[in-house]
Amino acid sequence: MTVVMTDTVVFDTGLKGRGLRTTKDLCAGEVVLAEPSFAAVVFDSLSQQVCHSCFRRQANLHRCAQCKFAHYCDRTCQTASWDEHKQECGAIKKNGKAPNENVRLAARVLWRIQKDTGIVSDSQLTSVDQLEDHVADMPADNLKELKIDVHNFLDYCPNTRHGVEYISHIFGIINCNGFTLSDQRGLQVVGVGLFPNLCLVNHDCWPNCTVILNHGNQSALNATFHSKRRIELRALGKIAENEELTVGYVDFLNVSADRQRALKHQYHFDCTCKTCSKNLKDDLMMAAKETEGNKPSDELVKEVQELSLECLAKVEAARTAGDFHEVVKLCRECLDKQEPVLADTHLYQLRMLSAASEVLSYMQFFSEAAEYSHRMVEGYMKLYHPNNAQLGMATMRAGVIHWHAGLIEVGHGMICKAYAILMITHGPNHPITKDLESMRMQTEMEQRIFKQNEYVYHSMREAALQNKPMGMMAEAVSVEDNVKALFHKQ
């Protein structure tokens, strides 16, 4: 297990316990830390759709012939994962089925500890045993779930040498420190893993770093050049020597009190960062619309906010049921009532715009989706850190929607903005960044055609969309095929 550390040290932060800081000045996009997982598993619901080695999502995976549960891209991935899967394979085969992902991850962690102890390299800064479990802080419902997981673990691994207290400790560590892993396109969370060094990086609502999953490379003919999946901690901007490294444990797009509540529930600490302490941007997130110095009454704002919450719940229910026409109807009605009352940065309006643009683009109503996505990104840009990965992904989706709608100039501009952000958050070799580079080049070419002759551009575009080969636009079809996954049924 190779851990790359770029001049970082563990230090005592005081109230927050241990933390990591840099011992040199860092630049935006610089990889501060790269760490393979101590243990990781694919979610139960995606066990047949995601490779259990590199965590890439793709069709026609090869199933393990022994346990018939694990799936892999090919024999190369299966061989690379055998050391992790070996004991799991025998346990699943013996039990006749695989337990849930929590139990599988706990088993992998304990097998790894038994084999390599809690520290597997000189670069690992803490042992797994030393990570916080917060079992004593868990509410009754969580404790009940933990006991069920421990019981299922003992059924799965009846010959374990570990006692109930230690097994509970490991489940507590996973609950507090598990890091969710996305597929290669960043579109869906597909698994969870444990990364001991990453666990030392403390939270801040306005962090100076971000974390992404690098899925590694198993395609080289020479196995010497293969690389494992790993997380990368990347600087979001300039970080001064001796400054603490921080990441966001929860999405920033919530008011301070809601973020603090979520952090207390999941991670058992009270956030006292500058953003929460001063309630920074809370006013924008709940702002009323101001027109020529006039604002709607507090009563009207309250009424529209209550209506918005009710509508958001209905939208989520309709999405879950697959009734996308109902989703669109609800979004349109709610947005009509929000627009004259709520500011363009109001959370409830942004959430409605997000739902509307996603579902409309899935239904291929791209012109209307483009309008909503543009408004959404404009609001995001006033709230998020300028190099926030979620801002980059949202801008990429909006750019693709505009491209599909034939709004090539706006689409190209958004794709370029997204590319600049993701070059910092994901780096040049990540599949998402490579996709964006292809889209950027394609839209740049189409924009040149558009500026030379709009009629020719639209004629060629229509031909391409109808799958008729016609000059350079035939290339656009293949690129668009690559990004159709951006709009998939949840």
Side-chain angles (χ1 to χ4, degrees):
M1 172 169 149
T2 303
V3 183
V4 178
M5 302 291 291
T6 309
D7 300 299
T8 56
V9 294
V10 182
F11 77 111
D12 184 359
T13 66
L15 292 175
K16 295 188 293 183
R18 293 179 298 172
L20 278 186
R21 69 182 177 197
T22 176
T23 57
K24 71 165 192 174
D25 292 340
L26 298 172
C27 300
E30 191 167 343
V31 177
V32 186
L33 179 156
E35 179 184 18
S37 61
F38 187 87
V41 294
V42 172
F43 287 149
D44 304 335
S45 57
L46 298 170
S47 62
Q48 298 180 35
Q49 302 164 47
V50 174
C51 175
H52 290 223
S53 177
C54 67
F55 283 60
R56 288 180 172 87
R57 183 187 177 114
Q58 48 197 346
N60 304 318
L61 293 172
H62 299 269
R63 187 175 69 172
C64 173
Q66 296 297 315
C67 68
K68 297 180 171 51
F69 173 75
H71 287 71
Y72 302 97
C73 297
D74 48 33
R75 189 164 293 279
T76 303
C77 271
Q78 186 170 5
T79 302
S81 185
W82 179 240
D83 198 40
E84 278 187 296
H85 178 58
K86 185 177 181 180
Q87 286 178 280
E88 175 185 74
C89 187
I92 294 173
K93 188 177 178 182
K94 186 175 181 179
N95 282 272
K97 63 176 183 178
N100 68 40
E101 59 251 18
N102 284 347
V103 174
R104 286 189 288 116
L105 182 55
R108 283 194 170 198
V109 169
L110 287 166
W111 286 326
R112 188 80 187 268
I113 288 173
Q114 190 170 325
K115 177 176 176 285
D116 298 324
T117 72
I119 296 181
V120 294
S121 79
D122 293 338
S123 299
Q124 189 178 321
L125 301 173
T126 184
S127 71
V128 173
D129 284 351
Q130 292 177 317
L131 297 174
E132 294 286 345
D133 65 15
H134 288 289
V135 171
D137 301 319
M138 285 185 180
D141 288 346
N142 288 19
L143 278 173
K144 185 177 179 182
E145 290 178 11
L146 184 144
K147 288 178 181 178
I148 293 171
D149 280 339
V150 171
H151 175 77
N152 291 336
F153 175 88
L154 291 171
D155 285 343
Y156 180 55
C157 303
N159 298 322
T160 182
R161 68 181 189 184
H162 303 291
V164 169
E165 185 176 347
Y166 187 75
I167 296 168
S168 299
H169 172 59
I170 296 299
F171 274 109
I173 287 171
I174 290 168
N175 184 62
C176 293
N177 299 281
F179 179 77
T180 53
L181 308 174
S182 298
D183 65 8
Q184 70 272 30
R185 298 290 180 254
L187 297 175
Q188 185 177 15
V189 174
V190 298
V192 62
L194 196 61
F195 301 83
N197 285 350
L198 179 63
C199 296
L200 295 171
V201 182
N202 286 316
H203 165 82
D204 195 289
C205 290
W206 197 260
N208 55 20
C209 293
T210 189
V211 185
I212 63 106
L213 177 67
N214 184 319
H215 292 78
N217 177 17
Q218 304 290 337
S219 61
L221 292 176
N222 188 336
T224 306
F225 299 105
H226 290 176
S227 58
K228 287 187 175 183
R229 65 171 186 271
R230 60 195 181 276
I231 56 93
E232 292 178 352
L233 184 72
R234 290 176 167 269
L236 289 176
K238 289 183 178 179
I239 303 176
E241 180 182 350
N242 292 324
E243 189 175 339
E244 182 180 6
L245 303 170
T246 57
V247 295
Y249 291 3
V250 295
D251 185 14
F252 179 69
L253 281 197
N254 289 285
V255 294
S256 299
D258 289 343
R259 290 197 306 273
Q260 288 173 316
R261 194 177 300 113
L263 289 163
K264 184 70 172 178
H265 175 75
Q266 178 64 37
Y267 301 102
H268 309 287
F269 70 87
D270 296 307
C271 183
T272 57
C273 73
K274 179 181 176 182
T275 307
C276 283
S277 299
K278 296 189 175 183
N279 302 116
L280 299 180
K281 303 216 174 189
D282 283 7
D283 55 340
L284 286 175
M285 293 184 190
M286 301 303 288
K289 186 170 185 175
E290 185 172 342
T291 308
E292 297 179 353
N294 298 316
K295 289 185 178 181
S297 66
D298 291 344
E299 292 77 12
L300 181 57
V301 172
K302 183 179 179 182
E303 179 186 328
V304 172
Q305 287 184 156
E306 290 174 352
L307 181 145
S308 299
L309 287 173
E310 292 174 9
C311 196
L312 283 165
K314 291 177 182 177
V315 165
E316 186 56 36
R319 277 179 62 172
T320 303
D323 189 349
F324 299 119
H325 288 284
E326 179 65 13
V327 171
V328 172
K329 175 176 171 288
L330 289 165
C331 287
R332 285 170 177 162
E333 290 174 353
C334 190
L335 286 165
D336 284 344
K337 293 176 181 177
Q338 289 176 334
E339 201 279 330
V341 178
L342 306 182
D344 60 358
T345 55
H346 197 291
L347 290 180
Y348 300 163
Q349 184 161 219
L350 290 174
R351 288 168 188 167
M352 196 61 68
L353 289 168
S354 176
S357 62
E358 181 180 337
V359 172
L360 283 164
S361 59
Y362 175 78
M363 297 171 71
Q364 299 189 13
F365 297 144
F366 293 117
S367 295
E368 188 178 359
E371 177 195 344
Y372 291 145
S373 67
H374 193 276
R375 287 169 57 188
M376 177 188 72
V377 169
E378 289 292 310
Y380 282 179
M381 290 176 71
K382 296 174 184 178
L383 297 175
Y384 274 126
H385 185 290
N387 289 331
N388 183 281
Q390 287 170 286
L391 173 61
M393 294 294 288
T395 307
M396 176 180 72
R397 290 188 178 95
V400 173
I401 291 171
H402 282 75
W403 182 18
H404 277 266
L407 304 169
I408 187 62
E409 291 182 298
V410 178
H412 176 66
M414 285 186 157
I415 286 169
C416 288
K417 286 179 183 177
Y419 182 70
I421 295 171
L422 296 187
M423 277 290 287
I424 290 172
T425 60
H426 289 65
N429 297 317
H430 196 281
I432 297 174
T433 319
K434 288 182 177 180
D435 278 355
L436 262 176
E437 171 66 5
S438 297
M439 286 188 273
R440 188 178 67 83
M441 293 172 65
Q442 178 68 26
T443 53
E444 185 177 351
M445 181 193 71
E446 291 184 26
Q447 186 174 240
R448 284 199 301 268
I449 298 171
F450 175 81
K451 288 181 176 179
Q452 290 168 3
N453 191 317
E454 290 186 32
Y455 174 76
V456 170
Y457 166 75
H458 286 295
S459 298
M460 295 174 75
R461 181 177 178 277
E462 287 301 315
L465 293 175
Q466 294 170 20
N467 291 322
K468 295 178 182 176
M470 192 171 177
M472 286 183 290
M473 284 300 294
E475 297 176 25
V477 178
S478 62
V479 177
E480 289 191 358
D481 283 344
N482 286 336
V483 298
K484 280 179 182 175
L486 289 169
F487 312 114
H488 65 286
K489 194 172 181 178
Q490 294 296 323

